[in-house]
Amino acid sequence: MDIRIKRNAQDVATYVSEKIIATVQKKPKSLICIAGGDTPLLTMQELVRANQAGVVDFGEASFVGLDEWVGLGRDVKGSCQQTLYDNFFDKLVGIREEQICFFDGKTADLEAECARVDRFVAERGGIDFILLGVGMNGHIGFNEPFVPVDTDCHVVELDDVTKTVMSKYFDEDFPLTQGISLGMQQIMTAKQIVLVTTGTKKAEIVAKVVMGKITDAVPATLLRNATGSVSLVMDQEANGILKMGVKSEDEKDTSAGTEE
Protein backbone atom coordinates (compact mmCIF):
# COMPACT_ATOMS: atom_id res chain seq x y z
CA MET A 1 0.00 0.00 0.00
CA ASP A 2 1.43 3.32 -1.12
CA ILE A 3 0.78 6.04 1.47
CA ARG A 4 0.58 9.72 0.68
CA ILE A 5 0.29 12.32 3.42
CA LYS A 6 -1.01 15.75 2.42
CA ARG A 7 -1.24 18.94 4.43
CA ASN A 8 -5.03 19.23 4.38
CA ALA A 9 -8.23 17.93 2.82
CA GLN A 10 -7.97 20.27 -0.16
CA ASP A 11 -4.48 19.01 -1.01
CA VAL A 12 -5.80 15.45 -0.77
CA ALA A 13 -8.59 16.28 -3.22
CA THR A 14 -6.22 17.95 -5.66
CA TYR A 15 -3.88 14.97 -5.66
CA VAL A 16 -6.66 12.39 -6.09
CA SER A 17 -8.42 14.36 -8.82
CA GLU A 18 -5.15 14.54 -10.77
CA LYS A 19 -4.87 10.74 -10.57
CA ILE A 20 -8.40 10.29 -11.92
CA ILE A 21 -7.77 12.81 -14.71
CA ALA A 22 -4.57 11.00 -15.69
CA THR A 23 -6.45 7.70 -15.76
CA VAL A 24 -9.11 9.03 -18.13
CA GLN A 25 -6.60 10.82 -20.33
CA LYS A 26 -4.66 7.57 -20.72
CA LYS A 27 -7.78 5.44 -21.19
CA PRO A 28 -10.81 7.54 -22.23
CA LYS A 29 -13.16 4.55 -21.87
CA SER A 30 -12.22 3.97 -18.24
CA LEU A 31 -14.78 2.69 -15.73
CA ILE A 32 -14.66 4.98 -12.70
CA CYS A 33 -16.25 4.51 -9.29
CA ILE A 34 -16.45 7.37 -6.80
CA ALA A 35 -17.82 6.81 -3.31
CA GLY A 36 -20.59 8.95 -1.88
CA GLY A 37 -20.36 10.56 1.55
CA ASP A 38 -18.54 13.68 2.71
CA THR A 39 -14.90 12.77 2.10
CA PRO A 40 -14.93 12.64 -1.74
CA LEU A 41 -16.87 15.92 -2.17
CA LEU A 42 -13.78 18.09 -2.61
CA THR A 43 -12.41 15.65 -5.18
CA MET A 44 -15.69 15.84 -7.10
CA GLN A 45 -15.43 19.64 -7.09
CA GLU A 46 -11.90 19.48 -8.51
CA LEU A 47 -13.00 17.07 -11.25
CA VAL A 48 -15.97 19.23 -12.19
CA ARG A 49 -13.72 22.29 -12.36
CA ALA A 50 -11.24 20.46 -14.59
CA ASN A 51 -14.00 19.13 -16.82
CA GLN A 52 -15.68 22.50 -17.26
CA ALA A 53 -12.29 24.06 -18.05
CA GLY A 54 -11.67 21.48 -20.77
CA VAL A 55 -8.82 19.75 -18.95
CA VAL A 56 -10.54 16.36 -18.92
CA ASP A 57 -13.29 14.90 -21.11
CA PHE A 58 -15.51 12.24 -19.54
CA GLY A 59 -17.49 11.75 -22.74
CA GLU A 60 -16.29 8.18 -23.29
CA ALA A 61 -15.90 7.13 -19.67
CA SER A 62 -18.36 5.06 -17.65
CA PHE A 63 -19.29 5.43 -14.01
CA VAL A 64 -20.62 2.90 -11.54
CA GLY A 65 -22.00 3.68 -8.10
CA LEU A 66 -20.32 2.14 -5.08
CA ASP A 67 -23.35 1.64 -2.88
CA GLU A 68 -26.76 2.88 -1.76
CA TRP A 69 -29.02 2.73 1.27
CA VAL A 70 -31.81 0.20 0.67
CA GLY A 71 -35.08 2.13 0.65
CA LEU A 72 -33.66 5.46 -0.51
CA GLY A 73 -33.42 7.04 -3.94
CA ARG A 74 -32.18 10.17 -5.62
CA ASP A 75 -35.06 12.18 -4.15
CA VAL A 76 -33.64 11.88 -0.62
CA LYS A 77 -30.93 14.35 0.39
CA GLY A 78 -28.03 12.34 1.74
CA SER A 79 -28.57 9.26 -0.39
CA CYS A 80 -25.51 8.15 -2.31
CA GLN A 81 -27.26 8.72 -5.62
CA GLN A 82 -28.29 12.27 -4.68
CA THR A 83 -24.76 13.06 -3.51
CA LEU A 84 -23.12 11.91 -6.74
CA TYR A 85 -25.66 13.42 -9.11
CA ASP A 86 -26.00 16.81 -7.43
CA ASN A 87 -22.28 17.27 -6.78
CA PHE A 88 -20.77 15.55 -9.79
CA PHE A 89 -22.72 13.97 -12.64
CA ASP A 90 -25.18 16.84 -13.19
CA LYS A 91 -22.30 19.33 -13.39
CA LEU A 92 -20.19 17.51 -15.96
CA VAL A 93 -20.08 18.68 -19.57
CA GLY A 94 -20.85 16.16 -22.29
CA ILE A 95 -21.92 13.21 -20.14
CA ARG A 96 -24.94 11.05 -20.98
CA GLU A 97 -27.19 9.11 -18.62
CA GLU A 98 -26.29 5.78 -20.26
CA GLN A 99 -22.69 6.26 -19.08
CA ILE A 100 -23.84 6.00 -15.47
CA CYS A 101 -24.91 2.86 -13.61
CA PHE A 102 -26.12 3.55 -10.09
CA PHE A 103 -27.91 1.34 -7.60
CA ASP A 104 -31.63 1.98 -7.22
CA GLY A 105 -32.14 1.63 -3.48
CA LYS A 106 -35.92 1.75 -3.92
CA THR A 107 -36.19 -1.20 -6.29
CA ALA A 108 -38.53 -4.04 -5.40
CA ASP A 109 -36.06 -6.61 -6.74
CA LEU A 110 -32.68 -6.16 -5.07
CA GLU A 111 -31.29 -9.37 -6.55
CA ALA A 112 -32.04 -8.21 -10.08
CA GLU A 113 -30.49 -4.84 -9.26
CA CYS A 114 -27.29 -6.54 -8.16
CA ALA A 115 -27.23 -8.56 -11.38
CA ARG A 116 -27.75 -5.41 -13.46
CA VAL A 117 -24.78 -3.62 -11.88
CA ASP A 118 -22.64 -6.77 -12.07
CA ARG A 119 -23.26 -6.89 -15.84
CA PHE A 120 -22.35 -3.22 -16.26
CA VAL A 121 -19.02 -3.76 -14.51
CA ALA A 122 -18.24 -7.06 -16.26
CA GLU A 123 -19.05 -5.71 -19.74
CA ARG A 124 -16.42 -3.01 -19.23
CA GLY A 125 -13.73 -5.38 -18.05
CA GLY A 126 -13.82 -4.36 -14.41
CA ILE A 127 -13.15 -1.09 -12.63
CA ASP A 128 -10.22 1.03 -13.76
CA PHE A 129 -10.23 3.49 -10.86
CA ILE A 130 -12.14 3.36 -7.58
CA LEU A 131 -12.14 6.14 -5.00
CA LEU A 132 -13.09 4.90 -1.55
CA GLY A 133 -13.68 6.29 1.90
CA VAL A 134 -13.48 4.21 5.07
CA GLY A 135 -16.13 3.88 7.75
CA MET A 136 -15.47 4.19 11.45
CA ASN A 137 -15.74 0.40 11.68
CA GLY A 138 -13.49 -0.11 8.66
CA HIS A 139 -16.25 -0.77 6.16
CA ILE A 140 -15.70 -0.16 2.45
CA GLY A 141 -18.87 0.84 0.65
CA PHE A 142 -21.45 -1.18 2.56
CA ASN A 143 -19.08 -4.10 2.96
CA GLU A 144 -19.42 -4.29 6.72
CA PRO A 145 -17.19 -6.24 9.15
CA PHE A 146 -17.04 -9.97 8.40
CA VAL A 147 -18.40 -9.49 4.88
CA PRO A 148 -17.63 -12.31 2.41
CA VAL A 149 -14.60 -11.38 0.33
CA ASP A 150 -15.50 -13.40 -2.77
CA THR A 151 -18.75 -11.63 -3.68
CA ASP A 152 -19.80 -9.18 -6.37
CA CYS A 153 -22.78 -6.84 -5.85
CA HIS A 154 -24.85 -7.84 -2.86
CA VAL A 155 -27.27 -6.70 -0.16
CA VAL A 156 -25.76 -6.17 3.28
CA GLU A 157 -27.22 -5.93 6.78
CA LEU A 158 -25.96 -2.66 8.24
CA ASP A 159 -23.57 -2.83 11.17
CA ASP A 160 -24.58 -1.13 14.43
CA VAL A 161 -21.77 1.41 14.03
CA THR A 162 -23.06 2.38 10.59
CA LYS A 163 -26.59 2.75 11.93
CA THR A 164 -25.29 5.02 14.69
CA VAL A 165 -23.36 7.42 12.45
CA MET A 166 -25.72 7.45 9.46
CA SER A 167 -27.89 10.24 10.87
CA LYS A 168 -25.25 12.80 9.87
CA TYR A 169 -26.17 12.29 6.21
CA PHE A 170 -29.90 12.97 6.49
CA ASP A 171 -32.27 15.75 7.48
CA GLU A 172 -34.69 13.24 9.01
CA ASP A 173 -34.53 9.84 10.65
CA PHE A 174 -34.86 6.77 8.46
CA PRO A 175 -35.28 3.22 9.79
CA LEU A 176 -32.55 1.85 7.52
CA THR A 177 -31.28 -1.67 8.07
CA GLN A 178 -29.69 -2.66 4.74
CA GLY A 179 -27.35 -1.39 2.08
CA ILE A 180 -26.66 -2.53 -1.48
CA SER A 181 -23.04 -2.43 -2.59
CA LEU A 182 -20.33 -3.47 -4.97
CA GLY A 183 -18.69 -6.54 -3.46
CA MET A 184 -15.15 -6.87 -2.17
CA GLN A 185 -14.29 -9.07 -5.14
CA GLN A 186 -15.05 -6.23 -7.56
CA ILE A 187 -13.28 -3.69 -5.39
CA MET A 188 -10.18 -5.80 -4.77
CA THR A 189 -9.68 -6.42 -8.50
CA ALA A 190 -9.94 -2.77 -9.53
CA LYS A 191 -6.85 -1.65 -11.43
CA GLN A 192 -6.37 1.41 -9.23
CA ILE A 193 -7.71 1.71 -5.68
CA VAL A 194 -7.42 4.98 -3.79
CA LEU A 195 -8.57 5.10 -0.18
CA VAL A 196 -9.04 8.65 1.09
CA THR A 197 -9.40 9.71 4.69
CA THR A 198 -9.35 13.11 6.33
CA GLY A 199 -9.92 14.53 9.79
CA THR A 200 -9.00 13.53 13.33
CA LYS A 201 -12.03 11.28 13.73
CA LYS A 202 -10.56 8.88 11.19
CA ALA A 203 -7.08 8.69 12.77
CA GLU A 204 -7.82 5.55 14.80
CA ILE A 205 -9.29 3.52 11.96
CA VAL A 206 -6.48 4.68 9.64
CA ALA A 207 -3.93 3.27 12.08
CA LYS A 208 -5.77 -0.07 12.04
CA VAL A 209 -5.93 -0.11 8.25
CA VAL A 210 -2.20 0.54 7.89
CA MET A 211 -0.71 -1.35 10.82
CA GLY A 212 -3.36 -3.79 11.99
CA LYS A 213 -3.90 -7.41 11.11
CA ILE A 214 -5.39 -8.06 7.69
CA THR A 215 -8.84 -9.34 8.59
CA ASP A 216 -12.42 -9.26 7.35
CA ALA A 217 -13.31 -7.85 10.78
CA VAL A 218 -11.88 -4.58 9.40
CA PRO A 219 -12.67 -4.80 5.66
CA ALA A 220 -10.41 -1.88 4.69
CA THR A 221 -7.35 -3.89 5.78
CA LEU A 222 -8.14 -6.36 3.00
CA LEU A 223 -7.14 -3.71 0.47
CA ARG A 224 -3.51 -4.38 1.39
CA ASN A 225 -3.90 -7.68 -0.48
CA ALA A 226 -5.60 -6.21 -3.56
CA THR A 227 -4.31 -7.23 -6.97
CA GLY A 228 -3.98 -3.75 -8.46
CA SER A 229 -2.38 -0.49 -7.38
CA VAL A 230 -3.50 0.56 -3.88
CA SER A 231 -2.95 3.98 -2.34
CA LEU A 232 -3.98 5.56 0.95
CA VAL A 233 -4.16 9.35 0.76
CA MET A 234 -4.73 11.21 4.02
CA ASP A 235 -4.32 14.63 5.56
CA GLN A 236 -2.25 15.49 8.62
CA GLU A 237 -5.24 15.20 10.95
CA ALA A 238 -5.93 11.61 9.90
CA ASN A 239 -2.21 10.99 10.38
CA GLY A 240 -2.53 11.86 14.08
CA ILE A 241 -1.95 8.37 15.51
CA LEU A 242 0.46 7.01 12.90
CA LYS A 243 2.49 10.25 13.04
CA MET A 244 4.21 9.54 9.76
CA GLY A 245 6.63 12.33 8.95
CA VAL A 246 6.32 14.87 6.18
CA LYS A 247 9.42 15.54 4.12
CA SER A 248 8.46 19.10 3.21
CA GLU A 249 5.20 20.96 2.79
CA ASP A 250 4.03 18.28 0.41
CA GLU A 251 4.24 14.65 1.45
CA LYS A 252 6.45 11.77 2.28
CA ASP A 253 5.95 8.59 0.26
CA THR A 254 6.01 5.46 2.34
CA SER A 255 4.46 2.05 2.25
CA ALA A 256 2.76 -0.48 4.47
CA GLY A 257 3.45 -4.16 4.03
CA THR A 258 0.84 -6.70 3.09
CA GLU A 259 1.95 -9.17 5.72
CA GLU A 260 -0.32 -9.82 8.67
Side-chain angles (χ1 to χ4, degrees):
M1 179 182 283
D2 177 52
I3 299 176
R4 305 276 175 146
I5 305 163
K6 299 294 182 177
R7 289 171 295 185
N8 53 47
Q10 182 58 58
D11 285 354
V12 168
T14 299
Y15 176 78
V16 175
S17 66
E18 289 172 352
K19 286 181 72 69
I20 295 174
I21 290 168
T23 298
V24 174
Q25 289 175 336
K26 183 176 181 180
K27 182 183 177 182
K29 293 185 177 181
S30 291
L31 176 57
I32 308 295
C33 179
I34 299 176
D38 297 332
T39 304
L41 288 175
L42 288 175
T43 299
M44 294 182 212
Q45 291 175 14
E46 290 297 310
L47 290 172
V48 168
R49 187 177 296 114
N51 170 252
Q52 292 180 350
V55 175
V56 61
D57 181 2
F58 292 111
E60 295 185 64
S62 298
F63 298 90
V64 63
L66 175 62
D67 55 10
E68 186 56 277
W69 308 89
V70 170
L72 302 188
R74 187 178 174 182
D75 58 317
V76 176
K77 186 179 183 301
S79 70
C80 302
Q81 192 173 12
Q82 179 271 324
T83 299
L84 265 294
Y85 270 88
D86 286 7
N87 292 284
F88 186 56
F89 297 135
D90 284 350
K91 297 183 178 182
L92 295 179
V93 177
I95 190 171
R96 304 172 309 281
E97 187 63 32
E98 58 264 29
Q99 293 174 248
I100 305 166
C101 180
F102 216 102
F103 288 110
D104 178 7
K106 299 176 77 172
T107 182
D109 192 339
L110 293 171
E111 184 175 338
E113 187 68 359
C114 288
R116 180 181 71 87
V117 178
D118 282 341
R119 284 194 301 273
F120 188 88
V121 174
E123 287 169 356
R124 286 154 182 80
I127 298 168
D128 292 288
F129 191 106
I130 187 165
L131 172 58
L132 302 167
V134 58
M136 299 299 290
N137 60 359
H139 74 208
I140 295 295
F142 280 134
N143 291 288
E144 300 280 25
F146 305 106
V147 67
V149 299
D150 57 351
T151 57
D152 289 332
C153 296
H154 59 145
V155 178
V156 184
E157 298 297 320
L158 298 180
D159 184 74
D160 288 342
V161 173
T162 303
K163 292 177 184 177
T164 299
V165 303
M166 70 183 183
S167 60
K168 71 176 183 178
Y169 296 112
F170 307 115
D171 295 333
E172 56 184 294
D173 291 331
F174 293 103
L176 305 177
T177 61
Q178 293 180 311
I180 185 170
S181 179
L182 295 181
M184 288 303 296
Q185 183 165 259
Q186 290 158 319
I187 294 169
M188 295 277 286
T189 55
K191 297 175 184 66
Q192 290 186 76
I193 301 170
V194 175
L195 181 64
V196 168
T197 181
T198 58
T200 55
K201 67 181 183 297
K202 293 295 179 73
E204 184 175 350
I205 189 60
V206 166
K208 290 181 180 178
V209 170
V210 174
M211 305 301 295
K213 179 182 179 181
I214 297 175
T215 171
D216 59 7
V218 184
T221 63
L222 300 173
L223 298 178
R224 284 156 50 192
N225 282 340
T227 58
S229 167
V230 185
S231 299
L232 167 64
V233 187
M234 60 180 164
D235 65 2
Q236 285 287 37
E237 291 185 349
N239 183 36
I241 292 177
L242 288 172
K243 298 187 184 301
M244 291 183 173
V246 177
K247 188 183 300 182
S248 64
E249 288 190 348
D250 285 321
E251 81 278 348
K252 177 183 177 181
D253 299 348
T254 184
S255 62
T258 56
E259 299 286 327
E260 292 190 23

